[in-house]
Amino acid sequence: MSRQSWGDPDAIPEGSDVSLEAVLTVNGAISPSQITSSGTFTVSIENTVLPIQTILTDELSDAVIASAGLVRWDITSAQTSGWPAGTFDGDIKLVDSGGTITYWPVSLRIRSVVD
């Protein structure tokens, strides 16, 4: 499973409102029975070097369109304020109605705002 990247090529400016969208597939195909709106989707992202800097922790999704495999998170400027510049790795986590957990790897690229 390849890591989906948000923010390429110019990166997301810290301190901005952003919507993060992901099309989730299972074995390369959209699977509405797996990508279900009855499950709980969260995203967690942090850097992998010391000191650990957390960007998002268990952020709940704002929208799920199971037939398209689409999940969206609406992140406010208050949440992005103070994000350091860099590339941060994480995971989208689905806990479905039966308790099965599925992960999709993601990364988020952030840049400092230039006035």
Side-chain angles (χ1 to χ4, degrees):
M1 189 177 299
S2 62
R3 185 173 296 277
Q4 182 171 337
S5 181
W6 289 308
D8 285 330
D10 299 322
I12 295 168
E14 62 93 11
S16 61
D17 289 329
V18 295
S19 288
L20 306 176
E21 293 186 347
V23 174
L24 304 179
T25 60
V26 176
N27 295 325
I30 293 170
S31 176
S33 63
Q34 175 75 20
I35 315 301
T36 171
S37 57
S38 65
T40 302
F41 288 90
T42 57
V43 65
S44 299
I45 299 174
E46 63 183 23
N47 69 356
T48 57
V49 296
L50 294 175
I52 298 296
Q53 295 171 296
T54 300
I55 299 298
L56 295 170
T57 303
D58 296 330
E59 180 72 26
L60 290 170
S61 63
D62 292 291
V64 177
I65 302 172
S67 61
L70 181 69
V71 182
R72 187 184 79 237
W73 291 265
D74 295 321
I75 309 298
T76 67
S77 59
Q79 288 174 282
T80 66
S81 181
W83 281 359
T87 300
F88 298 83
D89 291 341
D91 291 294
I92 295 169
K93 177 182 177 183
L94 164 64
V95 181
D96 71 17
S97 57
T100 300
I101 298 174
T102 306
Y103 291 95
W104 290 267
V106 293
S107 68
L108 178 62
R109 197 164 164 215
I110 298 170
R111 66 177 172 85
S112 298
V113 172
V114 179
D115 289 331

